[in-house]
Amino acid sequence: MRLRLTLLTAVLGSALLAAFPLRAAEMPSVDDLEAQMGAPAETVTVYEPHLSVGDEHVTVDYVGYPAVDVLARLFGADWASQAETVELRALDGYVLRVAADRFLAVDAFFVFALGDGSPFTVDNLLQNQTDVPLGPYYLVWDNIGNPALIEEGPGTWIYQIAEANLVTLSDTALLPEGLDARFHEGAALAKEHCLRCHLVNGFGGEKHEGNLAEITKDYEEAVFVSVVLAPLSVFEETTMPPLSDRLAEDERQRIAKALFDYLTAIPVLD
Ligand code: HEC
């Protein structure tokens, strides 16, 4: 509820509108969803990216419904032509935005239980957390036999989903007029790696409070780079994950510096 109000405030109060929610839906209870779907839930077996380290894949059975069918229930059969992006919001403020087309190309499921009936939780190794509750819903991707999806890791998986929205996105908040074009890559990198949890000028997730465009201006570059590459070297404990360790070390350094340059250059608008 709090999130919805925040979004509405942004819609009414700001000319620098970042995300237009065309359609918004609170996720129904599992009982209601089962009744609406009119078919038994399926069991889907995946490599659980939160538990998989390197090439050691951990297989888990989940129970749920195909994402395309759930989205059709929530928004109507033509949901994919209503907006280009599906925005999923979690109870803790985490936000994931997925191109609608991707749901048509790759099988995903909204799951709500484990196949063996054990508690619906997972250990999130990257975030140093154990027994993280996954409900009400968890978006999982059918990644077995799909090396590209396995390579992506947990970045496109989201648990504790409470809301689904169909949105169109505008880059005005991230690329305000007058920002030099050499910072555009930094904006794209922030979108890819940071804005599921953080806000920049009102655009993004709300897992950590504050505008990164403002916060970063108080950081020395070296400390900022350490936060991005190894959060535990700066914070005693944190759920912020290090920038993907699947990238080469010099590329991780380059991305951290590009993010610093972008976030110190962009004006604070919100
Ligand atoms: C999965 C969520 C998540 C992602 C993704 C993430 N962060 Fe964080 N970040 C956090 C949390 C939570 C904190 C608060 C640290 C703590 O635990 O005290 C934080 C803290 C920070 C801080 C310090 C904030 C302050 O108030 O001083 C900076 C700077 C930061 N993150 C930058 C980034 C950048 C840049 C990226 C992208 C490369 C990123 N974060 C990706 C969750 C995330």
Side-chain angles (χ1 to χ4, degrees):
M1 202 51 182
R2 187 178 67 77
L3 294 173
R4 176 108 324 279
L5 285 175
T6 312
L7 208 57
L8 273 183
T9 314
V11 171
L12 298 173
S14 171
L16 298 155
L17 195 55
F20 294 90
L22 299 175
R23 303 283 307 278
E26 306 225 343
M27 293 299 289
S29 69
V30 170
D31 284 349
D32 284 353
L33 183 68
E34 284 183 310
Q36 287 174 32
M37 298 298 289
E42 301 173 23
T43 298
V44 49
T45 305
V46 296
Y47 288 146
E48 173 50 71
H50 295 100
L51 297 177
S52 301
V53 178
D55 292 331
E56 296 278 319
H57 299 307
V58 178
T59 303
V60 176
D61 288 340
Y62 289 109
V63 179
Y65 289 103
V68 286
D69 296 342
V70 174
L71 291 166
R73 274 290 143 198
L74 294 175
F75 300 114
D78 66 342
W79 66 273
S81 60
Q82 294 178 31
E84 90 274 12
T85 305
V86 176
E87 177 183 83
L88 301 172
R89 288 190 168 253
L91 295 173
D92 69 352
Y94 187 90
V95 172
L96 180 72
R97 298 193 174 96
V98 185
D101 285 353
R102 180 178 154 120
F103 284 105
L104 305 178
V106 188
D107 288 337
F109 294 79
F110 284 97
V111 299
F112 52 80
L114 274 156
D116 64 6
S118 56
F120 190 42
T121 62
V122 77
D123 292 342
N124 190 334
L125 302 181
L126 270 182
Q127 296 193 13
N128 319 302
Q129 290 173 302
T130 52
D131 299 325
V132 180
L134 295 171
Y137 294 96
Y138 178 29
L139 180 75
V140 307
W141 298 88
D142 184 7
N143 60 355
I144 295 181
N146 189 328
L149 278 191
I150 294 170
E151 192 58 30
E152 277 180 5
T156 50
W157 299 51
I158 173 173
Y159 44 70
Q160 299 178 11
I161 302 170
E163 272 182 51
N165 302 317
L166 297 180
V167 300
T168 56
L169 300 177
S170 143
D171 280 341
T172 324
L174 299 184
L175 296 171
E177 223 174 294
L179 185 76
D180 195 292
R182 76 194 150 101
F183 297 118
H184 288 195
E185 194 211 355
L189 289 169
K191 234 183 192 174
E192 184 179 349
H193 297 292
C194 319
L195 302 189
R196 292 193 289 270
C197 295
H198 291 285
L199 290 166
V200 168
N201 290 336
F203 182 99
E206 298 176 75
K207 188 159 178 178
H208 181 64
E209 229 172 272
N211 182 353
L212 266 194
E214 194 173 357
I215 292 169
T216 304
K217 292 180 178 61
D218 290 333
Y219 270 80
E220 280 176 32
E221 176 165 351
V223 179
F224 177 89
V225 167
S226 298
V227 170
V228 172
L229 298 184
L232 282 175
S233 71
V234 180
F235 305 116
E236 207 161 300
E237 62 177 77
T238 180
T239 57
M240 174 167 160
L243 182 69
S244 173
D245 58 7
R246 289 167 188 272
L247 300 168
E249 194 49 37
D250 53 353
E251 178 64 1
R252 296 176 78 235
Q253 293 271 352
R254 195 190 68 78
I255 290 176
K257 291 191 166 129
L259 285 167
F260 181 79
D261 291 344
Y262 163 64
L263 291 167
T264 42
I266 184 178
V268 177
L269 300 173
D270 187 23

